[in-house]
Amino acid sequence: PADAPAATGPAARAAVLGEYVAHPTANRVLQVLLATVRHREDAEALVMAVAAAVAADGTAGGDADGAPGMLHPARRGVLRRAAELAANFRAGQERFLGALCAGLGVKDGARCAAALLDVRLQAADGGG
């Protein structure tokens, strides 16, 4: 968004990233950014920022303005691209998975996988 504050620390970057994820157009731009990263340092910084944003707002519903949360079906492309980036560069994988599980309200790894599959099935059914 045009009025986004300058990101100076991890929390600020996560907040700005959350705004971009919620934005209908910036969301797509962010997905392209995540898909085109070429350096491990950049990959790690972006994966950590996405993880922090998921941990801060791991909701499917949305905020008071009706903007979708990080786990909303319409915004999961960012999560997919961040997961691919983490895997490709082996950067921040554990932190990212931990943030996803925390966002889903699950602490156990096996239950987290089941919850992620359930979220995927809900999205396919149109639920959310």
Side-chain angles (χ1 to χ4, degrees):
D3 59 347
T8 57
R13 282 192 298 269
V16 170
L17 197 65
E19 289 181 32
Y20 282 112
V21 168
H23 193 276
T25 304
N27 170 337
R28 305 279 185 212
V29 173
L30 184 56
Q31 289 182 47
V32 171
L33 170 66
L34 291 168
T36 57
V37 170
R38 298 290 179 245
H39 301 285
R40 187 177 195 286
E41 298 80 24
D42 297 333
E44 189 163 6
L46 284 167
V47 168
M48 293 303 190
V50 171
V54 169
D57 176 36
T59 63
D63 62 16
D65 296 332
M70 290 291 292
L71 297 176
H72 190 277
R75 299 298 182 251
R76 289 198 197 121
V78 170
L79 298 178
R80 181 182 138 232
R81 294 294 185 188
E84 289 172 349
L85 190 60
N88 289 340
F89 285 94
R90 299 183 195 272
Q93 293 173 326
E94 289 182 24
R95 173 102 187 260
F96 182 70
L97 180 59
L100 274 177
C101 293
L104 292 167
V106 181
K107 293 183 181 179
D108 177 28
R111 288 192 177 123
C112 183
L116 286 169
L117 289 172
D118 183 53
V119 168
R120 183 174 169 212
L121 292 174
Q122 288 178 16
D125 291 341

